[in-house]
Amino acid sequence: MKGIKSIWTAKLEWPNPADREQRIKDYVELANSLAWQRMGSFFAAAVLAMFYFDPATTIACYAGLLFSEFLDMWLGKHAKAWDGKDPAVGRRLMRSFTISTVISSVAISLFVITIAVQQTTGGHFTPLFLLFAASLFAAMYNSPLINILLLRLSIYAAAFLFIGFLDIVRFRPDLSSTIWLEFFTIVFVLYFIIDTSLNFYRHYQERLKQIKQIKEENERTKAAYEIKSQFLSTVSHELRTPLTSIKASLDLVNNGTLGEVPDNLKGALFIAAKNGQRLANLIDDLLDLQKMEAGELDLVLETMGVNELVKEAVESTAGYAGKLGIHVTTILPAQELMIQGDHSRLVQVMNNLMSNALKFSDEGGSVQVRVEPKGDHVRISVEDEGMGIPENARDRVFGKFSQVDSSDIRKVGGTGLGLNITKQLVERHGGRIDYESQQGVGTTFYVEFDLVEDGSSDRTDSTQMALTA
Ligand code: ADP
């Protein structure tokens, strides 16, 4: 009863133009995925029919079937290439699929009917079973296009009923005859096929609805994300300009350029300058992140020496290292190795690795920067003897706004953006970044870049020299 009710209450949504493209493409995909099974079953049925029944009608029906299959395949190709924009193409495809459905279902129906007509005794198991198999195939792959499904099922239902009535008309049997039993069984099988087809259809509808919801959700998220990015970018730009002048003024005051600073103001002005710098760094990071997410980060590529790059980074962080009492050693190959990249961005990468190594080291510790060739690329590593990074923290190390120790009692400040930006910059250069670490022993971050031709010669026997910053 429940099944019968579900047939009547099934909501049959005619393919509306909005999702016609999706439905047609799903129809083609399903039809293609079952093509070999379908062709195989039709072929086996045709061979059997040619052997046991009239070969001429079998060949004619089989030809009609093959024609519709090839038509479907050809239409499938067009449907796949259709971008969904021109509705006229959609309508043409629907019309063509309808014609091909009529051809194939009429061919199948005629095929089984001619077999049934030739059977005069012993029921019609073979044609009925073939029709049943064809109906199940229809239920499986016609579900995206309800009009095609209904059209095909109606033609099959007519064939089912024709075969059912055939012997009743021929023999006018008594109600107790098995001919009537066969007829009632056919009616039951018909009901089963319709119910199964509607179930396939309902599942497809459900899937389509979910896809639609996911798409809408995705659109909303994208829109919100764009607004957020726009907001972040505007705020960052707006903050940067006044901050630059505040910082410049504070520097002038702190340098004594504008006159002697009273002792009681020195401390407060120093803190203001330091925090101004932190704020500027954060804004720079946000702007970089924004640019990378928008795909607007342009690299100005040039060929440069790795030793030079490293020396520049070590020099620019020397003041910070000195303040923390950290000894920085640089080990460079005697032969300059050449890489290609955006100079200021690669300096930014090195500065970030250096400042992290210094920041997470204990006072009086040491940091070692090493450049070494590795096959056709060069590795630059920054090794510290600091607190180390616990295992399984990789996601947090390279994540956005994430820090391994994000507790309130962490000793060092930061935004958790540096390594995320660094990783993206390294990868934009075709390089890679990684680290090895042992808690309480230290951490080595390294980046690797491809060497460019002229710098890669004579690098295997390079001697190493040590520089101390
Ligand atoms: P932050 O602004 O916090 O330094 P980063 O993205 O540069 O952000 O680093 C992310 C996190 O990775 C840091 O908060 C820290 O927990 C960890 N980390 C980075 N470098 C080191 C290092 N040399 N030693 C120990 N931990 C490090």
Side-chain angles (χ1 to χ4, degrees), residues 50-299:
M50 271 195 283
F51 188 73
Y52 289 102
F53 304 101
D54 173 33
T57 12
T58 305
I59 290 172
C61 293
Y62 190 62
L65 205 66
L66 278 187
F67 173 74
S68 75
E69 282 290 333
F70 284 120
L71 184 61
D72 263 6
M73 260 185 219
W74 181 75
L75 288 173
K77 261 194 193 164
H78 280 266
K80 269 189 182 168
W82 179 44
D83 58 6
K85 284 191 186 129
D86 185 358
V89 178
R91 282 196 296 273
R92 259 204 309 277
L93 280 168
M94 281 302 293
R95 265 199 304 275
S96 310
F97 279 126
T98 309
I99 293 170
S100 137
T101 301
V102 171
I103 296 174
S104 86
S105 40
V106 167
I108 290 174
S109 301
L110 283 180
F111 174 59
V112 292
I113 284 173
T114 50
I115 293 178
V117 169
Q118 290 168 64
Q119 292 175 313
T120 45
T121 51
H124 302 295
F125 176 78
T126 308
L128 287 173
F129 182 74
L130 292 178
L131 205 50
F132 178 72
S135 308
L136 277 188
F137 272 127
M140 281 192 273
Y141 83 92
N142 287 178
S143 49
L145 298 175
I146 186 69
N147 42 358
I148 296 280
L149 176 67
L150 288 182
L151 178 64
R152 193 179 276 279
L153 287 185
S154 312
I155 296 172
Y156 289 164
F160 262 116
L161 292 175
F162 182 91
I163 297 173
F165 278 118
L166 186 66
D167 286 354
I168 293 175
V169 174
R170 258 186 197 161
F171 305 114
R172 307 215 172 257
D174 198 69
L175 198 59
S176 60
S177 154
T178 52
I179 293 178
W180 276 106
L181 175 65
E182 189 168 84
F183 176 79
F184 290 129
T185 313
I186 288 173
V187 173
F188 171 72
V189 167
L190 255 183
Y191 157 73
F192 171 78
I193 288 169
I194 294 172
D195 192 37
T196 309
S197 306
L198 289 179
N199 271 333
F200 271 104
Y201 176 71
R202 261 193 300 270
H203 280 137
Y204 177 74
Q205 288 289 105
E206 224 20 68
R207 222 197 90 210
L208 206 62
K209 218 184 264 168
Q210 280 167 2
I211 292 176
K212 238 189 213 166
Q213 276 169 355
I214 292 171
K215 267 189 191 160
E216 281 167 11
E217 199 60 45
N218 200 15
E219 289 301 315
R220 272 200 294 274
T221 314
K222 253 196 307 273
Y225 191 77
E226 263 162 35
I227 291 172
K228 182 223 81 180
S229 298
Q230 196 58 43
F231 171 76
L232 210 64
S233 161
T234 313
V235 169
S236 306
H237 275 110
E238 291 304 315
L239 282 176
R240 203 174 198 269
T241 321
L243 188 67
T244 309
S245 64
I246 292 170
K247 253 178 59 210
S249 310
L250 279 171
D251 287 345
L252 286 177
V253 175
N254 283 338
N255 296 340
T257 317
L258 302 179
E260 186 68 22
V261 181
D263 281 348
N264 59 341
L265 290 185
K266 271 186 183 158
L269 286 172
F270 174 74
I271 291 171
K274 199 173 136 194
N275 284 323
Q277 185 57 51
R278 274 181 61 186
L279 204 53
N281 290 346
L282 171 64
I283 291 171
D284 285 346
D285 279 355
L286 287 176
L287 285 170
D288 277 349
L289 203 66
Q290 171 63 30
K291 265 193 211 158
M292 282 190 272
E293 281 179 359
E296 286 167 2
L297 187 98
D298 295 323
L299 299 179

Side-chain angles (χ1 to χ4, degrees), residues 352 356-357 359-360 384 387-389 396-397 399 402-405 410 413-420 443 445:
N352 186 258
N356 273 351
K359 191 163 79 170
F360 293 104
D384 64 54
M387 54 168 71
I389 300 171
R396 270 177 290 156
V397 168
S402 62
Q403 295 163 326
V404 175
D405 175 8
R410 72 199 292 264
T415 59
L417 280 177
L419 280 175
N420 182 277
T443 304
F445 270 90

Side-chain angles (χ1 to χ4, degrees), residues 29-30 90 111 164 170 185 192 223 233 246 295 335 339 341 368 374 380 402 404 427 433 464:
E29 206 179 300
L30 276 173
F111 174 59
R170 258 186 197 161
T185 313
F192 171 78
S233 161
I246 292 170
Q335 177 83 29
I339 58 171
Q368 193 178 71
K374 295 239 172 217
I380 311 169
S402 62
V404 175
E427 285 168 0
I433 178 168
Q464 302 201 314

Side-chain angles (χ1 to χ4, degrees), residues 278-383:
R278 274 181 61 186
L279 204 53
N281 290 346
L282 171 64
I283 291 171
D284 285 346
D285 279 355
L286 287 176
L287 285 170
D288 277 349
L289 203 66
Q290 171 63 30
K291 265 193 211 158
M292 282 190 272
E293 281 179 359
E296 286 167 2
L297 187 98
D298 295 323
L299 299 179
V300 183
L301 296 183
E302 58 181 289
T303 303
M304 70 194 88
V306 182
N307 288 359
E308 281 308 308
L309 179 76
V310 166
K311 278 186 217 162
E312 199 177 325
V314 170
E315 267 162 32
S316 71
T317 50
Y320 186 37
K323 247 188 258 171
L324 296 173
I326 293 173
H327 184 68
V328 179
T329 314
T330 314
I331 300 175
L332 305 173
Q335 177 83 29
E336 181 68 287
L337 302 171
M338 306 303 282
I339 58 171
Q340 206 173 41
D342 184 309
H343 183 260
S344 65
R345 291 299 180 180
L346 290 181
V347 168
Q348 184 182 346
V349 165
M350 286 311 302
N351 280 350
N352 186 258
L353 296 185
M354 286 296 298
S355 65
N356 273 351
L358 297 170
K359 191 163 79 170
F360 293 104
S361 285
D362 295 324
E363 208 177 322
S366 64
V367 166
Q368 193 178 71
V369 189
R370 183 191 291 266
V371 175
E372 50 189 333
K374 295 239 172 217
D376 57 359
H377 51 266
V378 58
R379 174 180 286 196
I380 311 169
S381 45
V382 180
E383 183 180 349

